[in-house]
Amino acid sequence: MTTKVARPGFQPSLNVAKMQASSTLAAMQAADALRASGANVVDFGAGEPDFDTPDNIKRAAEEAMRAGKTKYTPTGGTRVLQQAIIDFYQREFGAGFERPEVMATSGGKQAIFNAIVTLVNPGDEVLMAKPYWVTFPEIVVLAGGTPVYIETEESGFVLTAEQVERAITPRTRLIILNSPCNPSGRVIPPDEFRRIMEVLAERGIFVISDECYLRFVYPPGEVFSAASLPSELRSRLCIAGSFSKTYAMTGWRIGYALAPASWTREMLKVQGHSTSNPNSIAQSAAVEALNGPQDSVATMLGEYTERRAWLLGALSEIPGLSCNEPEGAFYAFPSVRGVLKGDMKTSDDFSRRLLEEEQTVVTDGTGFGAEGYVRISYATSMEQLSEGVTRIKRFVERLK
Ligand SMILES: Cc1ncc(COP(=O)(O)O)c(C=O)c1O
């Protein structure tokens, strides 16, 4: 018989206790709650396209269900999907990947998760530029690593090779790059990206390139993937990709990782003992997304291009707000420091009061490591954009 001992109630494990809840999801929930109470909310918080998933992709999912593709698949996805991903990178970037280097995941987030937890040990430092996507530091903390932030305000939130070089220490194990960036929309120019990769390769540092917004780059910028770099710069690289934004498939939860076979093997272990394969029906849909017509991507990019131009013009007319030009993704990230006064001291105060007084949701920059800024998502209709900007302007004018 075992002796009875007093056991503590629920307490999160040590690393989980150090994690923060997602501030972007919290902003979405705040907007939902306000809407449910009947308020006329303008929501610039959403980190997802306002477009519906294209019909050809939905049809592929329907057909997959009817054909009985409703069973477990291999953990890293079906051969067909893996091949479609390989073909896409070959076609678009001239990169040759082999099947042991490819795995499908439940969203780009799981690819990033897999890559971090298979690599990072307690004490390892993981570099990331500020502002960063909220999830990056949290997974690093879960893995017992230490996030190390690189300030990039001086370079307009565009990471440079020199900044990376200065941040490296003997404990640096990994860097997470994200271009186009959520939340700033900024893009690392391809030449600079290459210089960054050279610095990292010389020092044996691993890289995650989060290419979730890969296809949403505004002219004259061009789509760039780390996959297009020479193979000697890619030997410690994991690309995290996603169908969520490119094909308006956020709810389907499908993405992928491309990494050296040794790294992918370990990621498959983690995935095999957690979620197993990504949703089988979403996998069939993703094959159609890559192999089917791409005009929906061009249509969405065209819409975002128009909205972006309009929004930047409109924001520039609000005194006290200043905004770097977003070159990709679908976010503007203006500084609101110029309008903070009295008891409105932070961008968090700004966002909260804007929500209370004008029922308009923006995401405070603090969760992205950039207090003083707010993120405005323009993945919403022109009417909503126009209404929201009118409200922000009214709010700011009242502060004078
Ligand atoms: C920068 C960045 N990376 C990755 C993701 C993950 O997207 P998903 O898991 O939906 O593929 C997101 C989603 O918002 C993102 O903004």
Side-chain angles (χ1 to χ4, degrees):
M1 218 173 83
T2 49
T3 32
K4 281 195 177 165
V5 289
R7 294 181 201 271
F10 176 76
Q11 276 168 356
S13 57
L14 293 177
N15 288 346
V16 169
K18 293 183 202 151
M19 293 171 77
Q20 307 282 330
S22 166
S23 57
T24 49
L25 296 181
M28 278 170 78
Q29 278 155 15
D32 275 349
L34 204 62
R35 251 191 306 267
S37 74
N40 173 10
V41 178
V42 173
D43 187 359
F44 289 155
E48 63 181 340
D50 55 318
F51 301 102
D52 195 5
T53 306
D55 257 345
N56 62 314
I57 298 176
K58 286 186 184 174
R59 275 197 303 277
E62 282 165 16
E63 281 158 25
M65 270 189 280
R66 306 243 172 267
K69 295 187 178 166
T70 53
K71 311 280 190 206
Y72 290 129
T73 74
T75 299
T78 60
R79 278 176 171 269
V80 187
L81 177 54
Q82 291 184 338
Q83 194 58 49
I85 296 167
I86 290 170
D87 292 347
F88 170 77
Y89 277 85
Q90 181 69 58
R91 200 164 62 231
E92 299 293 322
F93 306 111
F97 287 99
E98 305 285 336
R99 281 201 37 246
E101 299 171 311
V102 184
M103 68 186 286
T105 57
S106 298
K109 194 180 261 184
Q110 192 182 22
I112 298 164
F113 183 92
N114 290 345
I116 293 174
V117 300
T118 49
L119 184 77
V120 172
N121 282 310
D124 286 347
E125 293 180 355
V126 178
L127 298 176
M128 61 195 80
K130 275 184 174 182
Y132 46 78
W133 184 45
V134 292
T135 292
F136 298 151
E138 304 309 328
I139 306 177
V140 172
V141 165
L142 178 66
T146 307
V148 173
Y149 304 111
I150 307 179
E151 297 288 345
T152 61
E153 205 170 7
E154 60 178 26
S155 51
F157 291 150
V158 181
L159 184 68
T160 67
E162 202 198 332
Q163 289 164 347
V164 171
E165 199 163 0
R166 269 191 266 133
I168 292 171
T169 76
R171 298 166 81 137
T172 309
R173 178 76 163 148
L174 170 71
I175 187 169
I176 308 174
L177 303 175
N178 174 218
S179 175
C181 168
N182 175 9
S184 69
R186 301 290 274 169
V187 168
I188 302 171
D191 287 350
E192 195 63 32
F193 203 109
R194 187 192 171 106
R195 274 193 286 276
I196 291 172
M197 293 296 283
E198 283 165 358
V199 167
L200 298 165
E202 271 166 29
R203 289 160 182 79
I205 292 167
F206 286 82
V207 184
I208 296 173
S209 177
D210 175 355
E211 303 190 350
C212 180
Y213 296 92
L214 175 73
R215 309 273 285 277
F216 293 145
V217 176
Y218 301 100
E222 280 174 20
V223 171
F224 171 80
S225 167
S228 60
L229 293 170
S231 54
E232 64 272 18
L233 296 183
R234 291 198 275 122
S235 64
R236 293 180 179 215
L237 168 71
C238 172
I239 291 176
S242 173
F243 293 83
S244 289
K245 321 285 170 161
T246 311
Y247 298 103
M249 290 176 72
T250 45
W252 299 69
R253 310 309 304 130
I254 185 86
Y256 54 88
L258 293 164
S262 53
W263 198 350
T264 307
R265 210 166 27 246
E266 302 306 310
M267 294 199 279
L268 283 168
K269 272 201 311 211
V270 169
Q271 187 160 299
H273 288 297
S274 50
T275 57
S276 300
N277 60 271
N279 179 301
S280 62
I281 299 153
Q283 288 189 52
S284 291
V287 170
E288 171 62 20
L290 287 177
N291 292 349
Q294 301 295 303
D295 42 324
S296 55
V297 182
T299 307
M300 286 190 266
L301 182 62
E303 278 279 339
Y304 292 141
T305 306
E306 274 179 34
R307 296 172 188 179
R308 166 181 169 276
W310 183 87
L311 178 65
L312 289 178
L315 288 177
S316 71
E317 283 167 19
I318 304 180
L321 262 52
S322 61
C323 192
N324 288 310
E325 190 171 315
E327 298 142 317
F330 39 66
Y331 308 106
F333 198 57
S335 164
V336 296
R337 284 187 192 135
V339 299
L340 300 179
K341 57 165 68 158
D343 56 3
M344 198 175 72
K345 294 190 173 60
T346 64
S347 48
D348 181 43
D349 296 337
F350 178 96
S351 315
R352 224 169 350 91
R353 276 190 50 188
L354 183 67
L355 183 63
E356 283 164 16
E357 296 177 27
E358 292 287 352
Q359 289 74 53
T360 298
V361 182
V362 295
T363 310
D364 171 30
T366 311
F368 304 104
E371 203 283 302
Y373 291 78
V374 297
R375 189 188 75 174
I376 297 177
S377 165
Y378 51 90
T380 189
S381 67
M382 271 309 292
E383 298 80 66
Q384 287 288 291
L385 266 187
S386 160
E387 174 60 23
V389 169
T390 305
R391 293 182 187 191
I392 294 174
K393 202 168 180 179
R394 193 161 61 210
F395 174 70
V396 168
E397 272 163 10
R398 269 204 310 278
L399 298 171
K400 279 186 195 155

